[in-house]
Amino acid sequence: MRPGASAPAAGEAGEAGEAGGVPYPDIVRAAYAELVVTDLAASREFYVDLLGLVVTHEDADAIHLRAFDEYLHHSLVLRRGAVAALAALAYRVRTPHEVDVAERYYRTLGVPVERRAAGATRGIGPAVRVEDPLGFPVEFFYEAVHVERLNQRYDLHGAGAIARLDHFNIVVPDVARAERCYRDLGFRVTEDIRGEGDTLYASWLHRKDTVHDIALTGGDGPRLHHIAFSTYERAQVLHVCDLLGAWRRSAHIERGPGRHGVSNAFYVYVRDPDGHRVEIYTTDYYTGDPDHPVLSWDVRDNQRRDWWGNPVVPSWYAEASPVLDLAGKPRAVVARAADHEADVTVGADGFSYANETAADETTANEATENETWENETVDETAAGGSVDRASRDGSQL
């Protein structure tokens, strides 16, 4: 897709969905993530004391957290375990019936499916948890315990108050295949990153009316790249950075703060004590109209990952959390066969132009400048003078 083209809905690709025509579940939004952490106390300090999430319930084995806008029981579960990993990504569906639809859909695909009774995860009603075709543990639920929404409890808000869970970002070897899987679930593409030969490096898809509920990053996978929480405004993202600095925990800041080109959102990425990546994110844009255009970014555009052109740290491309199967065992990682974005990208990773046209213009301008300088050098030398190019360029003062 290119700028100005309508976002594809499920089934528009001219081929049957992987479930052979079986209806897909009506997904509302990304709802919660379950992470395995190795030190529950250290994780509590990070997510509650530093990031400011609210504890709904905690015991010796798990902590259930939510943000200030949220009235469902939790949007993040931290569960104690031996190996830090992703245990589940959960989507809320529109009605209780859609949980049954999800079960039929994934049984038709032939992937592992687990029916979960109400309370199997505290605060969550009957659910279906699957290993999706991409290798991720994914849950679908409707019913959940309601708790107090704290959006107007300003006496509890810190200066960096987090509003809600916004999206997931997963690492997959084949972005095009992953995009088809999510389009078959009714997700719509908002933005993507492409390169030569139409290679797809990343894709952003949504169900709620924002830029994304799920982002697909090309790389060795399946792995979890990050989960993201949204704040009310940009100042709250900056306060998270200030707070980490004040606590002498600035090493938790991996990338940013900055503004994305993709999504236009203001962001910072932080790493929890186990290395799980969390994005604090705000001010993306509305995507709910049916003819919303897809914005495709050139992988060579130096503003795609950071609007200001700041470098992307290598760890952001290379590192991600392992994922567990339904039995709780780490999934094997499959290498990406296509080029990695970090290996082919320019601009934000050390170059100064955004695309081939700009590069050609830069080269032409430099050639013209060199020719002009050489002609001036000949003229001035013939007149008995001398020329120091560095002095003329103003680089030696």
Side-chain angles (χ1 to χ4, degrees):
M1 303 295 295
R2 289 289 179 259
S6 296
E12 284 184 4
E15 56 184 78
E18 288 188 64
V22 174
Y24 56 80
D26 186 359
I27 296 168
V28 176
R29 62 179 179 88
Y32 81 86
E34 181 178 328
L35 301 178
V36 178
V37 298
T38 59
D39 186 331
L40 206 55
S43 295
R44 188 190 195 283
E45 180 187 57
F46 178 81
Y47 286 98
V48 178
D49 298 339
L50 290 174
L51 297 189
L53 293 177
V54 177
V55 177
T56 302
H57 175 84
E58 61 183 320
D59 55 37
D61 295 316
I63 305 174
H64 296 70
L65 303 170
R66 71 187 193 276
F68 287 99
D69 267 8
E70 296 171 332
Y71 66 89
L72 297 192
H73 186 267
H74 59 264
S75 57
L76 177 62
V77 180
L78 305 175
R79 195 171 303 282
R80 183 169 56 85
V83 178
L86 169 69
L89 299 175
Y91 294 97
R92 196 176 192 200
V93 294
R94 198 164 300 278
T95 68
H97 171 67
E98 295 300 323
V99 176
D100 300 326
V101 173
E103 181 178 11
R104 287 196 298 272
Y105 181 84
Y106 282 97
R107 289 197 186 281
T108 301
L109 292 182
V111 300
V113 176
E114 176 183 283
R115 189 76 192 215
R116 294 169 65 86
T121 297
R122 180 181 291 271
I124 301 298
V128 168
R129 190 171 287 191
V130 308
E131 291 178 30
D132 77 0
L134 307 175
F136 289 88
V138 179
E139 181 175 297
F140 302 91
F141 74 96
Y142 172 76
E143 296 177 9
V145 171
H146 288 199
V147 294
E148 181 185 2
R149 174 180 262 165
L150 301 172
N151 59 317
Q152 290 186 311
R153 286 295 308 273
Y154 295 109
D155 54 317
L156 302 178
H157 290 204
I162 291 174
R164 58 178 172 79
L165 178 74
D166 187 80
H167 64 265
F168 311 130
N169 186 311
I170 59 177
V171 184
V172 293
D174 186 339
V175 178
R177 176 173 179 260
E179 185 184 272
R180 287 194 299 272
C181 287
Y182 271 94
R183 288 177 60 198
D184 286 343
L185 285 169
F187 285 70
R188 297 174 69 87
V189 179
T190 56
E191 304 196 31
D192 62 26
I193 296 175
R194 294 178 179 271
E196 292 183 2
D198 213 30
T199 300
L200 188 58
Y201 291 93
S203 181
W204 287 257
L205 303 97
H206 75 103
R207 288 293 294 176
K208 67 182 186 306
D209 294 338
T210 63
V211 172
H212 58 312
D213 289 276
I214 187 73
L216 311 171
T217 297
D220 302 342
R223 295 182 296 160
L224 172 69
H225 193 272
H226 66 264
I227 62 172
F229 289 93
S230 179
T231 66
Y232 300 108
E233 57 190 44
R234 183 174 61 178
Q236 290 159 327
V237 177
L238 295 173
H239 182 77
V240 169
C241 300
D242 283 338
L243 187 61
L244 288 167
W247 280 54
R248 296 293 178 175
R249 301 293 183 83
S250 59
H252 285 293
I253 301 173
E254 179 188 34
R255 181 183 165 207
R259 183 176 295 282
H260 286 306
V262 174
S263 82
N264 192 49
F266 198 79
Y267 71 89
V268 68
Y269 291 94
V270 295
R271 304 290 287 271
D272 79 0
D274 284 293
H276 295 305
R277 184 180 290 107
V278 179
E279 182 182 19
I280 311 299
Y281 172 103
T282 194
T283 64
D284 62 350
Y285 57 87
Y286 172 76
T287 59
D289 284 1
D291 59 349
H292 187 274
V294 175
L295 176 60
S296 281
W297 294 78
D298 190 324
V299 70
R300 297 164 59 87
D301 192 324
N302 69 332
Q303 293 180 267
R304 74 202 183 285
R305 290 293 188 182
D306 186 279
W307 185 242
W308 306 334
N310 289 323
V312 179
V313 295
S315 63
W316 192 90
Y317 283 121
E319 297 174 8
S321 299
V323 304
L324 304 180
D325 63 18
L326 295 190
K329 298 179 180 178
R331 295 272 311 189
V333 173
V334 177
R336 175 172 167 84
D339 291 336
H340 289 252
E341 184 179 346
D343 295 334
V344 300
T345 190
V346 298
D349 299 309
F351 294 79
S352 60
Y353 58 84
N355 52 49
E356 290 183 1
T357 301
D360 292 342
E361 291 174 355
T362 300
T363 301
N365 290 338
E366 289 177 350
T368 300
E369 179 185 345
N370 288 339
E371 183 179 355
T372 300
W373 179 82
E374 289 168 358
N375 291 338
E376 290 177 351
T377 300
V378 171
D379 293 342
E380 294 186 27
T381 302
S386 63
V387 177
D388 180 347
R389 183 172 188 180
S391 298
R392 293 175 60 88
D393 290 344
S395 56
Q396 292 183 356
L397 297 175

